[in-house]
Amino acid sequence: MPPIRLLTPRLANQIAAGEVVERPASVVKELVENALDAGARRVDIEIEQGGVKLIRVRDDGSGIDEADLPLALSRHATSKIENLDDLEAVASLGFRGEALASISSVSRLALTSRTESQEAASRVEVEGRDMDASISPAAHPVGTTVEVRDLFFNTPARRKFLRTEKTEFNHVDECVRRQALSRFDTGFTLRHNQRVVQSLRPAENPLDRERRIGSLCGQQFIDNAVVIDAEATGLKLWGWVALPTFSRSQADLQYFFVNGRVIRDRLVAHAVRQAYRDVLYNNRHPAFVLYLEVDPANVDVNVHPTKHEVRFRDGRLVHDFIFRTLHKALADVRPDDHLRGAVAQSHGRESGGMSDGYGAQFAMSGVNPRPAPDPFAASAGQSPTGYSGGQPPAQHEWQARDQMAFYQSLNQGGGVGGQAAVAETGDITVAAPTPPQDSADEPPLGYAIAQLHGIYILAQSRQGMIVVDMHAAHERITYERMKRALEAQDLKSQPLLVPVSLAVSQKEAALAETHGEELFQLGLRVERIGPETLAVRQVPALLRGADTEQLVRDVLSDLIENGESDRVEAVTHELLGTMACHGSVRANRQLTIPEMNTLLRDMEATERSGQCNHGRPTWTVVTLSELDKLFLRGR
């Protein structure tokens, strides 16, 4: 072995640059974060050739004193922390003191800055070859400008790994987008090859914030967004989550910020995925822009050199808070919320204010959501249309049918008697009398007027025409009723006649022994009978036909990964979903008007009724203005 020696400052900085400076976007991230930490209200980013030739970041922050300029380019030099207490409660975006030194070691860097107390600005320049800083006077307003030229000019091995100019700029654009989403009070301008790509003014009020979200994430996202605002136990979560019908084929529209810092965290991703589990279509990904505010002392941001990862002091508390908030908000979405946004969106499209989309935007509080109506509530007070909200409209005189008798009829497949007169024409079933036209108590989904092809229910309301997939809607209603019934009876266990023996690792065996009580609460009785052997003696009664060995292994895997497991609940709900699917009204089943209206009223009272158990939408609306546009009325 050669003798041990100290690395030269240049080589040490280049090694650090290998962690901090991956590509031009990494440089932009570090420089913009420094500008935000300096209190900038305006940040201008100029890029040439994807950032390889030039990266210039100018801000109007507090600036750097002339005496501190050479020190700013030194390794492990920072004004943001001073002692261990500061490190344990980091409130700034940058704090390591490596960024400028690392960047300057692989580029030609010039830093010009002026503080409010200085009469003139100063400029310091350094090149990666010798790392010697030279200072000269300069003209510059209060603030700082950093120019980075010829990135990786002295490390060709790194430069050859860069992608095309377009690809590198796309990474820069995404970086600026994240920073703009993290700081609404700051304006951003991004130019590439002298062309303005982004120009964002400070967004001080909620309307301006929504406009910025629409500009950066697409207007359709904000049109289909649920507004989150929840606070509990020292945590605050706010932002926007998209409706399940606005899902993505990949996880490209997911932004999560902790105290203003964009992060990627498996715990957060798991909590969001859980919240969407019952309503998201197969292999689709939710879209969200969420902000978590927590005491800096309860989160460790000093986990990764790029500061993209964090570690929470109480991860389970954070996980449960995020899950409960999003789960409650998505469950509380009702058809009237959709319709209010859909009508406003339709008017916006007519005036050119919004892009096309079928969703709605509305506010939803994660703190005090309105209570979900009880689907088991007696239906004696229902109107003849099945509408249980308030007094029935006086105009219609349809014959009432009991709600539970209706569902018994559907589930048993029996005939339906005592119904209104029905006339059939082809695949459209229409019934009389027609619903009232101007009712002050009109329910959100209006009144059924026909059945199309034995599959869809057509309803009309003041907003326009509503189309409901009757099987998907009934499936969701049945599923939610079964879940409530299961919760009321608790999860019952069933002993196995012959215990199932599992060969596991010592880590898994110890975990099962430690979490025995938690597993028992899930309906699983698991005992350790050897160093690497488990015996499963009881399983949930509903899952007696499931693969017991795989279920226990999956539960243990979840415990190792996340510290908790919802695997039993997930498998149970999957079974209930299958039962609900097979027990729901099928296609080509002719329904009468009272039956259709009963289904509509239950949709309005059921959680997550906008999607079936598989994530498919259950209904849609075509507004009157959209119908008028189709037929060129009012032109």
Side-chain angles (χ1 to χ4, degrees):
M1 289 289 291
I4 297 174
R5 63 177 68 88
L6 287 173
L7 296 175
T8 63
R10 174 190 169 191
L11 185 56
N13 284 331
Q14 288 178 333
I15 293 173
E19 297 178 333
V20 177
V21 186
E22 179 185 358
R23 59 192 345 140
S26 308
V27 176
V28 173
K29 172 187 177 293
E30 298 292 344
L31 298 183
V32 172
E33 286 183 349
N34 280 342
L36 295 176
D37 283 340
R41 299 301 302 274
R42 184 78 204 174
V43 180
D44 297 320
I45 305 107
E46 187 172 346
I47 304 296
E48 291 185 11
Q49 296 181 9
V52 176
K53 181 180 179 182
L54 171 68
I55 299 173
R56 180 184 292 121
V57 177
R58 171 174 291 189
D59 68 70
D60 61 353
S62 57
I64 304 173
D65 192 83
E66 180 182 2
D68 291 339
L69 283 177
L71 195 58
L73 302 180
S74 301
R75 194 165 179 227
H76 300 313
T78 180
S79 62
K80 300 169 187 178
I81 60 170
E82 187 176 355
N83 50 47
L84 182 60
D85 293 337
D86 295 335
L87 185 62
E88 291 179 346
V90 175
S92 58
L93 296 174
F95 55 89
R96 291 172 176 265
E98 291 179 319
L100 289 177
S102 299
I103 295 168
S104 64
S105 69
V106 291
S107 67
R108 297 183 172 93
L109 186 144
L111 190 156
T112 308
S113 187
R114 176 190 163 197
T115 62
E116 196 171 0
S117 61
Q118 290 178 305
E119 294 183 358
S122 300
R123 177 184 178 92
V124 59
E125 296 183 65
V126 66
E127 288 192 6
R129 292 175 180 171
D130 47 23
M131 301 294 294
D132 292 331
S134 59
I135 301 178
S136 59
H140 194 279
V142 174
T144 302
T145 296
V146 182
E147 290 184 4
V148 177
R149 295 182 180 274
D150 301 326
L151 188 62
F152 299 133
F153 79 99
N154 58 349
T155 50
R158 295 291 304 280
R159 189 160 186 166
K160 72 178 182 180
F161 281 99
L162 294 179
R163 304 302 180 187
T164 64
E165 177 179 328
K166 180 181 179 181
T167 300
E168 293 300 336
F169 176 73
N170 286 340
H171 284 284
V172 171
D173 188 35
E174 177 65 18
C175 173
V176 175
R177 179 181 288 108
R178 292 175 179 175
Q179 299 296 343
L181 289 172
S182 72
R183 291 290 295 270
F184 289 102
D185 59 340
T186 304
F188 292 85
T189 301
L190 174 62
R191 294 182 181 87
H192 185 219
N193 296 336
Q194 287 78 51
R195 183 176 65 88
V196 176
V197 179
Q198 294 280 6
S199 182
L200 303 169
R201 295 178 299 176
E204 301 289 354
N205 56 62
L207 182 59
D208 288 340
R209 291 182 179 185
E210 290 176 3
R211 286 174 179 165
R212 177 175 286 195
I213 293 288
S215 173
L216 296 172
C217 300
Q219 189 61 42
Q220 270 200 315
F221 169 77
I222 202 68
D223 288 342
N224 289 274
V226 179
V227 177
I228 303 295
D229 189 2
E231 193 168 359
T233 60
L235 301 171
K236 181 177 181 180
L237 183 70
W238 62 278
W240 297 262
V241 295
L243 294 170
T245 46
F246 186 80
S247 58
R248 312 279 290 183
S249 60
Q250 50 190 325
D252 59 344
L253 191 48
Q254 298 183 349
Y255 299 99
F256 195 88
F257 302 86
V258 176
N259 295 341
R261 183 192 308 277
V262 62
I263 66 149
R264 294 189 299 266
D265 187 81
R266 287 184 300 177
L267 180 143
V268 170
H270 183 264
V272 175
R273 195 165 55 248
Q274 268 191 300
Y276 275 90
R277 183 175 59 199
D278 262 357
V279 291
L280 209 58
Y281 195 63
N282 286 342
N283 301 320
R284 302 288 290 182
H285 299 271
F288 56 85
V289 179
L290 290 171
Y291 303 84
L292 179 66
E293 297 177 12
V294 59
D295 185 347
N298 292 331
V299 57
D300 182 9
V301 298
N302 192 24
V303 177
H304 193 273
T306 60
K307 303 182 287 294
H308 278 311
E309 300 176 12
V310 296
R311 184 181 294 116
F312 296 101
R313 178 166 293 180
D314 191 342
R316 177 171 291 189
L317 175 67
V318 173
H319 178 281
D320 291 347
F321 174 65
I322 295 172
F323 165 70
R324 287 197 310 269
T325 301
L326 300 187
H327 187 265
K328 184 69 73 174
L330 292 172
D332 207 39
V333 174
R334 293 294 190 272
D336 51 336
D337 298 315
H338 284 271
L339 285 166
R340 280 197 299 269
V343 173
Q345 182 181 344
S346 175
H347 292 325
R349 286 199 298 267
E350 283 187 341
S351 61
M354 293 185 182
S355 61
D356 285 341
Y358 59 86
Q361 179 208 355
F362 48 91
M364 181 66 59
S365 170
V367 184
N368 295 308
R370 71 182 153 182
D374 185 1
F376 297 102
S379 56
Q382 279 190 325
S383 74
T385 60
Y387 180 45
S388 57
Q391 295 298 320
Q395 291 91 333
H396 50 79
E397 300 174 354
W398 299 330
Q399 296 296 319
R401 280 186 59 82
D402 182 80
Q403 183 183 25
M404 297 306 294
F406 161 59
Y407 281 118
Q408 288 174 1
S409 169
L410 293 180
N411 294 333
Q412 294 171 2
V416 180
Q419 301 163 353
V422 175
E424 295 188 8
T425 308
D427 287 326
I428 301 179
T429 302
V430 206
T434 57
Q437 300 297 314
D438 297 305
S439 171
D441 296 321
E442 183 183 72
L445 292 180
Y447 301 112
I449 57 175
Q451 187 179 12
L452 182 63
H453 293 291
I455 301 174
Y456 302 105
I457 295 173
L458 303 183
Q460 77 171 44
S461 69
R462 287 191 299 272
Q463 284 80 16
M465 178 178 68
I466 295 167
V467 185
V468 177
D469 183 331
M470 66 182 194
H471 171 73
H474 190 214
E475 185 179 357
R476 169 59 71 179
I477 293 168
T478 305
Y479 177 48
E480 293 295 333
R481 291 174 64 210
M482 294 174 71
K483 284 200 302 182
R484 283 178 174 266
L486 181 63
E487 291 172 2
Q489 298 173 3
D490 294 328
L491 199 62
K492 296 184 178 180
S493 295
Q494 175 175 308
L496 295 176
L497 187 62
V498 179
V500 177
S501 179
L502 274 74
V504 297
S505 66
Q506 288 191 8
K507 180 180 180 180
E508 290 174 320
L511 192 71
E513 189 175 27
T514 304
H515 291 79
E517 184 63 31
E518 295 178 31
L519 294 174
F520 186 73
Q521 291 175 0
L522 296 175
L524 291 168
R525 185 183 170 197
V526 182
E527 294 180 358
R528 187 175 187 178
I529 58 176
E532 298 179 349
T533 309
L534 297 175
V536 184
R537 302 190 183 279
Q538 285 184 209
V539 296
L542 270 176
L543 305 181
R544 57 184 177 272
D547 187 338
T548 302
E549 181 176 346
Q550 188 61 46
L551 177 64
V552 173
R553 291 188 187 279
D554 288 343
V555 170
L556 294 176
S557 176
D558 287 343
L559 288 174
I560 293 173
E561 185 75 16
N562 305 306
E564 61 179 0
S565 177
D566 65 333
R567 186 72 60 171
V568 171
E569 181 185 12
V571 176
T572 302
H573 285 179
E574 185 177 346
L575 175 62
L576 293 182
T578 301
M579 294 167 62
C581 182
H582 290 290
S584 300
V585 60
R586 294 293 182 177
N588 297 318
R589 174 70 184 276
Q590 298 299 326
L591 302 181
T592 63
I593 291 295
E595 290 175 327
M596 296 181 206
N597 280 297
T598 300
L599 195 62
L600 296 180
R601 301 296 78 81
D602 279 349
M603 287 178 64
E604 293 160 357
T606 301
E607 294 181 347
R608 308 172 188 88
S609 61
Q611 299 80 33
C612 74
N613 310 342
H614 313 293
R616 295 190 298 108
T618 58
W619 66 276
T620 189
V621 59
V622 183
T623 64
L624 283 174
S625 59
E626 290 171 332
L627 288 171
D628 291 342
K629 186 177 179 181
L630 287 174
F631 294 98
L632 304 180
R633 292 178 61 88
R635 297 294 178 91

